[in-house]
């Protein structure tokens, strides 16, 4: 990807950057981070799908945030939606619900082959099974123990004779007399993986585990008679902990989800195509995923911190809709809309003190050393 393409990427997507900008060992055009891309213009969708060969969108937002998207979104209308939810009887396992078709019928037909991608196979070779009490039609995705996802070459993979060939800098170039960029984009298989990292229930459970037991009990009882008084008990801890506390809670409460994100990124790299991961503002949940991926790839702490701090100018509070609820009225928005470098440094120190490294953290949630090594090799080697 030439510098002009990277510049265009910043213009096309909000708060966007290619991870190669943070860590040059990752060639351009492989991993892209951004804020909510649902407002991407149609002509820019062609750029993403044909020139950059994006085939996976990893949506880290909550369902409530997704409902805010424009129903006419040109990008979201091109992708089938694969939603991952916690198994009811096994909270450490995620289930992939049946794919929902994109809003555009033509795109839905083009994406028909996407239904088999990234479903974790049963070791015995049989189809994934569900458990009693699980949602109808759900199939086992990556478990907390890190079961490897299935990855099938997409119609636009390098082995496909009709696909554009990759140039040395990673961009797509059409074969002589081959299909145009718009034609490639119109038939691209795109999957939007909905893997919500911030859930209201998990957030408050994690917060309760960090508060004095007396405060938790008092807030729960007070909430029955006076929400403002209950809020007054909780907000000093929420505002006092700031973004650093939020990130620690995400790491502790969203282990299965973060493992699944890494599995999808690994499968995308195995298929030799680009992936975009995003949340609403592209700085908190997206920042944690970027820190994990960059750490696996071999980036230094300063490179991880510098990448995160580039979002400091974006100024948007995005807590999966929690910031709009009455229970968090009085949230220190000026603090939560930032992305200062010291917050990521503190998060990395927390990871180091508790898990030894980000590698240790990922191993603890099911994305083990072998998979980390494979992802690092794929992200940094020529494609």
């Amino acid at each position: 990807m030439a510098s002009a393409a990277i510049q265009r990427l910043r213009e096309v997507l909000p708060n966007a950057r290619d991870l190669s900008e943070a860590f040059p060992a990752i060639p351009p055009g492989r991993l892209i981070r951004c804020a909510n891309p649902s407002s991407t213009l149609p002509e820019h969708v062609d750029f993403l799908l044909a020139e950059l060969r994006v085939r996976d969108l990893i949506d880290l937002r909550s369902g409530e945030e997704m409902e805010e998207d424009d129903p006419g979104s040109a990008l979201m209308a091109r992708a089938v939606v694969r939603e991952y939810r916690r198994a009811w009887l096994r909270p450490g396992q995620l289930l992939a619900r049946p794919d929902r078709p994109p809003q555009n019928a033509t795109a839905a037909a083009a994406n028909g082959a996407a239904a088999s991608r990234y479903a974790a196979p049963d070791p015995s070779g049989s189809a994934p099974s569900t458990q009693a009490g699980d949602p109808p039609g759900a199939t086992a995705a990556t478990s907390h123990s890190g079961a490897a996802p299935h990855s099938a070459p997409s119609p636009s993979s390098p082995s496909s004779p009709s696909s554009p060939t990759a140039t040395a800098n990673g961009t797509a170039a059409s074969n002589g007399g081959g299909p145009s960029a718009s034609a490639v984009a119109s038939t691209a298989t795109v999957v939007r993986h909905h893997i919500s990292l911030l859930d209201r229930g998990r957030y408050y459970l994690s917060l309760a585990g960090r508060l004095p037991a007396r405060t938790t009990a008092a807030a729960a009882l007070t909430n029955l008679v006076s929400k403002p008084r209950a809020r007054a008990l909780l907000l000093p801890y929420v505002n006092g902990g700031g973004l650093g506390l939020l990130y620690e809670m995400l790491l502790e409460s969203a282990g299965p989800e973060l493992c699944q994100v890494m599995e999808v990124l690994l499968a995308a790299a195995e298929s030799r195509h680009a992936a975009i991961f995003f949340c609403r503002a592209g700085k908190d949940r997206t920042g944690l995923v970027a820190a994990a991926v960059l750490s696996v790839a071999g980036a230094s702490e300063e490179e991880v911190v510098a990448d995160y701090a580039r979002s400091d100018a974006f100024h948007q509070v995005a807590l999966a809709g929690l910031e709009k609820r009455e229970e968090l009225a009085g949230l220190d928005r000026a603090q939560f809309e930032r992305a200062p470098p010291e917050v990521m440094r503190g998060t990395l120190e927390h990871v180091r003190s508790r898990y030894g490294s980000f590698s240790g953290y990922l191993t603890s949630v099911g994305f083990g050393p072998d998979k980390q090594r494979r992802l690092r090799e794929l992200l940094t080697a020529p494609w």
Side-chain angles (χ1 to χ4, degrees), residues 30 296-297 370-383:
R30 299 189 179 182
V296 166
D370 290 343
K371 291 183 178 181
Q372 292 178 41
R373 188 179 309 110
R374 179 60 177 159
L375 180 59
R376 178 167 59 252
E377 292 170 351
L378 287 168
L379 289 180
T380 56
W383 282 4

Side-chain angles (χ1 to χ4, degrees), residues 103-141:
Q103 299 157 13
N104 181 289
T106 301
N111 280 286
S116 64
R117 297 173 63 212
Y118 301 106
D122 186 274
S124 65
S126 60
S129 61
T130 58
Q131 309 165 59
D134 290 331
T139 57

